Amino acid sequence: MSQAPASPLAQALEEVARCCRCGACAGVCPVYGARPREDLSARGKLQLLAGLGQGALIPRRGLAEIMSRCLLCGRCTANCPNQAGAAQAIALGRQALAQEAGAPLAKRLLLGHALPRPGRLDRLAAAGRLA
């Protein structure tokens, strides 16, 4: 009997556990370089994921917004002395947060109602050009 695959958060936490919190990721992160705030570095995002995994944080859209501020370029992993897969963990964290907190209304409407119907998407694009 095969086991069910681990949840996205559980998979992310495996990478979080490899982080030694040295900060090597911050120096190479283009997002952190543009706006040096701890929550914008991979180290900060991994610590937020750890808090989520420990139950200290609640999955909310604000947390999802912070996680979305990552280019997933992989520079953090490439410069990590422990090779913690921060970009992979952040992507998995995004997936877990989308499942738990839900996507914003505009994204849900676009993905659920406009993209599957080309006519609606064309009308939406035409409205955007007028604006």
Side-chain angles (χ1 to χ4, degrees):
M1 181 178 209
S2 65
Q3 292 182 345
S7 72
L9 182 58
Q11 292 176 46
L13 292 175
E14 290 176 17
E15 296 301 325
V16 169
R18 295 172 68 187
C19 176
C20 64
R21 295 180 284 294
C22 68
C25 54
V28 296
C29 176
V31 176
Y32 183 81
R35 191 161 183 208
R37 288 184 11 204
E38 183 64 21
D39 63 335
L40 297 180
S41 72
R43 175 178 63 185
K45 288 179 180 66
L46 292 181
Q47 290 308 297
L48 290 172
L49 287 173
L52 187 63
Q54 295 165 357
L57 295 175
I58 298 169
R60 300 230 170 136
R61 288 198 184 124
L63 185 55
E65 173 65 28
I66 291 170
M67 290 296 157
S68 74
R69 294 181 181 175
C70 175
L71 301 176
L72 301 175
C73 65
R75 291 178 186 171
C76 48
T77 300
N79 287 281
C80 178
N82 289 348
Q83 293 297 299
Q88 178 186 2
I90 292 166
L92 289 163
R94 288 178 182 177
Q95 182 181 352
L97 285 165
Q99 289 173 351
E100 293 291 323
L105 177 62
K107 187 182 271 186
R108 286 194 315 262
L109 289 173
L110 180 65
L111 293 175
H113 298 288
L115 287 180
R117 295 171 183 87
R120 285 186 184 175
L121 189 57
D122 290 341
R123 288 191 297 276
L124 186 60
R129 284 191 292 272
L130 291 175

